[in-house]
Amino acid sequence: MDINQLQAFDQVVRHGSFSKAARMMDISQPAISIRIKNLEEEIGGELFKRGGNKLEITVLGRTFLPFAQQALATLYKGMEQSRLAQEGKGGTLAIGTLPTLATHYFSATLTTLQRKYPNLGIIIHTGHNQELLEMLYEGYVKLCLMTYPFFNAELRSLLHIKEPLVFVTHCNHPLAKKGNLELAELKCAEPYLLVDWSLETKRSQKELIPFHNLEVPPQTALDMIKNGVGVSLLTETMVSSEIEGGELVRLTIKDFPMLYRECALVQLKRDTDISLSQQTFIQTLSDTIRKNYQSCEIKVITTK
């Protein structure tokens, strides 16, 4: 049994005639008759009643018809998906990311991809850096967005993203009225919420702000600040809308160095190829950041 036989059966049923089906398939009537005969041998009985003025489908034919049409529909869908995958518009894209990187420009990128390429399947896995590495090694994902710098010689950077970190507090916090502060004035933060963005940023905060008394994840810090508690160093992408809306206030700390959260989109070096769907994701992520998150610096390392 092959696709030509199933197509012949489907066309004969649709048009009620061997000759019309043959014309639609651009083959001779004897050729379509042979295909139906061979299919009947596979099924084990006649699919059509021969003779008479009207071609009629048999009970066996009616029983087999929905399965034949379903098989054809699956094959056609597979062919279409394969074509879209070759164009970078279909297939499945499996990506790993840190939970703290799964929002803002990342989710905005996925939204754009879904709207522009609805046939592109996307699977997102989250975990810390070591878990992301294991996903890469085991083949669950092919691309990962993780903390930079990384110290694994088996990884290759495709994109490098650098986000500025800013001090923020609630608009009703006492420090919000001052704007420009001396470092010592952060003692009035009550409390200072330390977020571990990287080894460098954590060290800088501990050295320059030794009086912190609460270390929390980024989203916890943001939620606490929005509830009027404390000051924290958060990525500008996390708080830009709240600052623009006046709910949060950006603080400038004198003599405090500019710090950044850096991440990289990586793949294993042994994966020498980048599929068209992966290239589509990389380009869309890059375009999304450049268009909507101008405070971030993005560098394309390679897409080959």
Side-chain angles (χ1 to χ4, degrees), residues 166-168 175 178-183 185-186 249-256:
V166 296
F167 287 101
V168 291
L175 293 178
K178 297 187 177 182
N180 296 315
L181 306 173
E182 297 289 338
L183 191 58
E185 292 182 272
L186 281 182
V249 174
R250 178 173 179 170
L251 303 175
T252 301
I253 310 301
K254 185 178 179 181
D255 297 327
F256 197 92

Side-chain angles (χ1 to χ4, degrees), residues 122-168:
I122 301 174
I123 302 173
I124 305 300
H125 297 281
T126 60
H128 56 67
N129 275 1
Q130 187 57 42
E131 290 173 327
L132 295 178
L133 282 174
E134 291 172 2
M135 292 180 197
L136 282 171
Y137 287 133
E138 294 174 6
Y140 289 119
V141 299
K142 292 297 183 180
L143 300 176
C144 277
L145 198 58
M146 60 196 315
T147 302
Y148 183 90
F150 52 84
F151 304 98
N152 188 314
E154 297 182 67
L155 296 180
R156 174 192 297 112
S157 288
L158 304 176
L159 291 179
H160 180 204
I161 304 167
K162 192 175 180 181
E163 300 178 70
L165 296 169
V166 296
F167 287 101
V168 291

